[in-house]
Amino acid sequence: MLNYNEPRKFRIKSPCSTANIGPGFDVLGISLSLYLTIDVEILPPSDKTPSFVMTYSGEGAKDVPLTAEKNLITKTALYVLAANGIHTLPQPLKIHVDNPIPLGRGLGSSGAAVVGGVLLGNALGQLNLDRDRLLDYCLMIERHPDNVAAALMGGFVASYLRELSPEQMKNVPASETSLLDIAVTQKSVPQPPVGIGHYVRLGWNPDIKCIAIVPQFEVATAKARAVLPTQYERKDMIFNFQRLAVLTTALSQVPPNPELIYNAMQDKVHQPYRKTLIPGLPEILSTITYQKYDGLLGICLSGAGPTILALATKNYDEIAKAAIALFKQHGNFECFYKVLDVVTDGSTCVDL
């Protein structure tokens, strides 16, 4: 019989991600080399050791709740455990989270936290769930698969949600918030349906790096979705479908074709409507072109923004500084940038 309280140490790493990639709204995601790290230690029983201690460093350290019932990572772990008949965390339990991923900037910070929490629940409960089943748990909480599929599986990923039957929908709460609230109050928690989301790993030319240009203001995902229309013109949908079909192959070709990729990364579904939330967005997307900057392949919003994603093979600093200069012209926003690799290992859990 498994002993959940047996002393052990392990580390979970979950990468940040970028989604949409121009025309791939709610479809495409890329796993990037900036990792949320969760160090976990189940300690030997002792009257002097607190039953639960959580510490946190990095982005959001001043604001993130550090109780098991309120922190997104541990609430997610509690949900995974409760769905498998385990209603308490091992004790004494010590968790340290280090998060270098900017919050609310379109780099999948919540997706990394959800994936990290699912892996935490899997490891604490010694459930041995495979990755496809872990994705089901992720998608019960984060209902858009692009970021979580990329963060969990790694690489350049296309994904979609399966249409669930009315019978299956009985096990799906109306919102991720209600799901996690049920879990932390230790009521009966249903197993997620099997195969909620499906994904495929796409080819990626390893010479292509991702430049994340991050302005120092946040755009809430809910707000970024609220500005989108409920209906689209047929011509705009065809515009995106055509480019999406081309882009998913073009990014794997060697050598990459700047004209093909740049034009295939154009979008008429989400970026035009988010310009009111991100000062300077139209100018950045229209003036930073492959003709002006050698090595640039394409440029777009990262997720819901405000981070700008540029794909390039060289001249990373020049491209990033050009975008930063435009941000400063349209609001004097402080910015920083990171040159990131596409990583293929996805999220991992390793014993220490």
Side-chain angles (χ1 to χ4, degrees):
M1 185 174 179
L2 294 174
N3 179 6
Y4 302 117
N5 291 294
E6 182 180 355
R8 53 198 170 101
K9 296 171 68 174
F10 57 90
R11 173 175 292 163
I12 292 166
K13 294 180 70 177
S14 185
C16 79
S17 55
T18 181
N20 302 333
I21 328 300
F25 180 64
D26 277 1
V27 177
L28 299 180
I30 302 174
S31 177
L32 299 175
S33 56
L34 190 64
Y35 289 87
L36 173 77
T37 303
I38 308 168
D39 285 313
V40 183
E41 186 172 7
I42 303 171
L43 300 162
S46 169
D47 294 337
K48 296 180 181 180
T49 305
S51 60
F52 178 81
V53 175
M54 186 175 194
T55 54
Y56 191 104
S57 59
E59 295 283 335
K62 294 180 180 179
D63 304 314
V64 172
L66 298 177
T67 59
E69 296 77 17
K70 293 185 177 180
N71 183 275
L72 177 58
I73 294 170
T74 46
K75 283 174 71 173
T76 299
L78 284 167
Y79 156 60
V80 175
L81 291 169
N84 288 276
I86 303 169
H87 295 289
T88 59
L89 294 171
Q91 296 179 359
L93 179 63
K94 183 179 178 182
I95 296 176
H96 177 72
V97 178
D98 181 63
N99 177 35
I101 306 171
L103 304 180
R105 310 293 171 81
L107 285 171
S109 58
S110 64
V114 166
V115 173
V118 168
L119 265 66
L120 177 61
N122 185 49
L124 290 175
Q126 300 181 54
L127 303 175
N128 298 314
L129 301 173
D130 63 28
R131 284 192 180 237
D132 286 349
R133 191 62 178 141
L134 292 173
L135 182 60
D136 290 333
Y137 282 90
C138 292
L139 292 174
M140 287 284 279
I141 302 163
E142 186 85 13
R143 297 293 168 81
H144 301 101
D146 42 12
N147 284 110
V148 292
L152 178 62
M153 305 301 177
F156 180 30
V157 177
S159 57
Y160 67 88
L161 292 179
R162 183 164 61 87
E163 293 286 332
L164 299 178
S165 69
E167 187 65 27
Q168 291 171 318
M169 286 301 295
K170 291 179 181 178
N171 288 338
V172 181
S175 72
E176 58 271 23
T177 302
S178 64
L179 173 71
L180 295 178
D181 287 345
I182 291 169
V184 300
T185 55
Q186 299 184 12
K187 297 177 182 177
S188 176
V189 179
Q191 287 271 342
V194 175
I196 299 174
H198 295 282
Y199 71 94
V200 63
R201 284 283 275 294
L202 301 167
W204 184 269
N205 181 337
D207 292 335
I208 303 173
K209 293 186 182 293
C210 296
I211 313 166
I213 301 108
V214 187
Q216 296 286 48
F217 65 91
E218 296 184 21
V219 172
T221 302
K223 190 174 182 180
R225 285 191 173 272
V227 300
L228 301 180
T230 56
Q231 294 182 324
Y232 289 93
E233 295 278 347
R234 180 189 298 176
K235 61 182 177 61
D236 289 343
M237 296 308 298
I238 292 172
F239 180 96
N240 270 49
F241 290 155
Q242 290 171 333
R243 282 150 185 79
L244 177 60
V246 172
L247 183 64
T248 51
T249 296
L251 289 172
S252 69
Q253 294 178 334
V254 180
N257 183 325
E259 181 182 10
L260 185 68
I261 293 171
Y262 185 89
N263 287 298
M265 283 178 64
Q266 303 304 303
D267 161 71
K268 291 191 176 181
V269 167
H270 70 106
Q271 292 179 158
Y273 303 98
R274 288 170 167 167
K275 63 185 179 182
T276 57
L277 303 176
I278 304 167
L281 177 62
E283 290 78 10
I284 291 171
L285 297 182
S286 62
T287 63
I288 299 178
T289 66
Y290 72 96
Q291 295 100 327
K292 291 182 182 177
Y293 297 93
D294 188 27
L296 178 71
L297 299 173
I299 190 164
C300 62
L301 265 184
S302 178
T307 294
I308 299 295
L309 174 73
L311 305 183
T313 55
K314 56 184 174 181
N315 291 330
Y316 313 116
D317 295 341
E318 182 184 2
I319 293 164
K321 288 174 181 176
I324 290 172
L326 287 169
F327 268 128
K328 286 189 175 294
Q329 288 179 24
H330 289 85
N332 199 29
F333 297 109
E334 290 299 317
C335 304
F336 65 92
Y337 69 94
K338 293 181 179 291
V339 180
L340 302 170
D341 292 313
V342 175
V343 293
T344 58
D345 53 351
S347 295
T348 57
C349 180
V350 179
D351 290 330
L352 299 176

